[in-house]
Amino acid sequence: MTDAEIREYLTGKNDGELFATADRVRREVFNTDVYLRGIIEFSNHCKQDCLYCGLRRNNRSIVRYRLCMDEILECAGDIARSGISTIVLQTGEDPFYSDAAIADIISAIKSRIDIAITLSLGEREKGSYKLWRDAGADRYLIRLESFNEKSYSQARPGTNRQERLNCLETLRDLDYEVGSGIMIGLPGDSIDDVITAIRKLTVMHLHMIGMGPFVAHNQTPFAGESNGNVDMVLRAYALMRILNPMANIPSTSAMESARPGGRMRGLQVGANVIMPSFTPKRVKELYNIYPGKNVQQDIDEDGLQSVLTMIEKAGYNVSWARGDSPLKANEKCKM
Ligand code: SAH
Ligand code: SF4
């Protein structure tokens, strides 16, 4: 596919053909299966100050929380009892949890439950990632957020895009299944940056590709900016599915925040993963990365039962399998 063709698709020149092709490709690899990942958001503290995110250090308007080991294990038990075979552990970048503490959480879960563990804890040193891999972590999600250097450094002050890229490569070297992606519509980004992202993410041969619309949060410097275009995200899901047939691609909850029904639509245009939240009710609303994320009316939306109903309604089947990356299995065969 040429850049000109990608641009035409992204601007909606032929949604019918694009979406039908993406769904055909997803069915060839995954049939109608939708994998579930139960997510535990165990801390909303963050040392970073990303201009787009409600958890940023300088947001003094939110109440901060941390879960202790027992609470995390309880959530992990809930996920396992529901039949889900992957746990995602996500937080702000919170140095309160030492490398060893995170490793303890991973091994405590692994010694009790036979389940895949995905981490999404931001940037750390190679030694930390290695310790966690050795403790039993299977996968790691770290989005590159934007392929535009300028908007990246504006949006993530004090950080460096190359370092984030290095984290991703380190994780791959440590034999994690790796996932990355972008927000679509980040202030300063243009359609050219989305085309670049589609190209560059594809040559990275990622096991997981996570994308969602930027959603403006009123307690951040990006309050008042326009949200990302949900239709463009749907087209990006479809393009990424066609270019990366074997990748696990979630239809993210930001889709639902930006447009009710957006997440279900994502499943019909190439996405094959849904991540219901198992964060305890008493803190769930405080994990407010973007508006609508885990807020009261959304709690049920994001709960397991409504996610199961949504998958059936979209015309697909719930899979309780681990949903390891078929790409990773292929890499092993070639070794
Ligand atoms: N602290 C970790 C993980 C939590 S943030 C990290 O930053 O990697 C998880 C993802 O939420 C980020 O990668 C970002 O893409 C997304 N996100 C944050 N703020 C957002 C917003 N305002 N709109 C949409 N997505 C957002
Ligand atoms: Fe922290 Fe992640 Fe939010 Fe940035 S996006 S402020 S690193 S939680």
Side-chain angles (χ1 to χ4, degrees):
M1 218 183 291
T2 64
D3 283 0
E5 283 168 325
I6 294 179
R7 182 185 304 275
E8 289 212 333
Y9 281 127
L10 280 177
T11 48
K13 291 280 157 49
N14 202 344
D15 281 349
E17 178 195 309
L18 175 67
F19 293 157
T21 309
D23 193 46
R24 185 172 48 71
V25 173
R26 84 85 85 202
R27 283 169 194 259
E28 277 166 15
V29 181
F30 298 100
N31 206 331
T32 53
D33 286 353
V34 175
Y35 298 135
L36 299 175
R37 321 299 195 193
I39 181 162
I40 309 172
E41 296 138 330
F42 66 89
S43 162
N44 71 349
H45 289 256
C46 191
K47 66 172 189 186
Q48 300 293 359
D49 211 21
C50 307
L51 267 56
Y52 43 83
C53 177
L55 305 190
R56 64 197 302 269
R57 181 181 72 222
N58 273 317
N59 182 6
R60 312 271 178 223
S61 315
I62 57 165
V63 175
R64 304 279 174 174
Y65 72 89
R66 291 187 175 107
L67 301 187
C68 66
M69 172 74 101
D70 284 349
E71 290 172 300
I72 297 172
L73 288 175
E74 214 173 296
C75 297
D78 289 344
I79 293 173
R81 274 187 296 279
S82 77
I84 296 179
S85 312
T86 294
I87 292 176
V88 181
L89 295 171
Q90 193 182 78
T91 60
E93 288 196 12
D94 185 358
F96 171 85
Y97 297 90
S98 65
D99 293 350
I102 302 279
D104 283 347
I105 293 168
I106 297 164
S107 22
I109 295 173
K110 282 282 184 166
S111 65
R112 287 166 176 78
I113 315 170
D114 178 20
I115 202 157
I117 295 185
T118 304
L119 303 177
S120 174
L121 310 174
E123 298 175 35
R124 293 252 186 154
E125 297 297 318
K126 179 168 186 178
S128 324
Y129 290 153
K130 173 150 186 0
L131 190 72
W132 303 340
R133 179 83 181 109
D134 292 343
D138 302 279
R139 311 177 186 143
Y140 206 102
L141 301 171
I142 184 157
R143 289 188 182 174
L144 289 166
E145 314 297 6
S146 165
F147 279 74
N148 178 322
E149 284 287 348
K150 209 167 145 221
S151 38
Y152 186 94
S153 27
Q154 181 204 337
R156 297 181 52 90
T159 72
N160 176 317
R161 198 170 170 283
Q162 186 57 45
E163 275 169 25
R164 202 155 171 94
L165 200 56
N166 293 347
C167 287
L168 193 59
E169 288 315 313
T170 301
L171 290 159
R172 191 195 294 276
D173 290 345
L174 292 168
D175 200 34
Y176 280 89
E177 276 190 26
V178 290
S180 193
I182 54 164
M183 274 176 284
I184 289 183
L186 194 65
D189 274 10
S190 70
I191 189 166
D192 290 326
D193 299 311
V194 180
I195 298 170
T196 306
I198 288 175
R199 283 252 170 270
K200 295 208 167 161
L201 290 169
T202 296
V203 296
M204 286 178 190
H205 299 290
L206 296 162
H207 306 110
M208 303 170 282
I209 298 167
M211 295 182 299
F214 158 72
V215 188
H217 191 303
N218 64 7
Q219 292 166 347
T220 66
F222 282 166
E225 298 283 349
S226 315
N227 288 352
N229 177 340
V230 173
D231 290 312
M232 192 176 285
V233 185
L234 291 170
R235 292 166 192 145
Y237 283 171
L239 287 161
M240 289 311 269
R241 168 58 64 213
I242 295 166
L243 296 168
N244 302 267
M246 287 198 269
N248 280 320
I249 302 180
S251 190
T252 57
S253 46
M255 290 293 275
E256 200 62 29
S257 298
R259 180 193 293 169
R263 197 169 42 159
M264 180 167 107
R265 189 73 191 117
L267 289 179
Q268 298 170 322
V269 301
N272 70 316
V273 173
I274 292 282
M275 299 166 64
S277 170
F278 281 76
T279 303
K281 283 207 166 58
R282 79 179 168 81
V283 293
K284 203 167 189 170
E285 272 188 71
L286 303 174
Y287 198 78
N288 191 226
I289 290 186
Y290 43 80
K293 170 83 181 139
N294 292 354
V295 297
Q296 194 61 44
Q297 71 265 27
D298 234 27
I299 286 181
D300 286 326
E301 289 287 308
D302 216 23
L304 182 60
Q305 198 45 54
S306 43
V307 158
L308 299 182
T309 311
M310 178 192 73
I311 294 169
E312 301 290 339
K313 208 170 137 205
Y316 298 84
N317 291 306
V318 174
S319 166
W320 301 99
R322 266 171 69 111
D324 287 318
S325 162
L327 187 61
K328 190 115 195 294
N330 262 21
E331 287 162 8
K332 288 224 161 91
C333 292
K334 283 187 200 134
M335 270 161 59

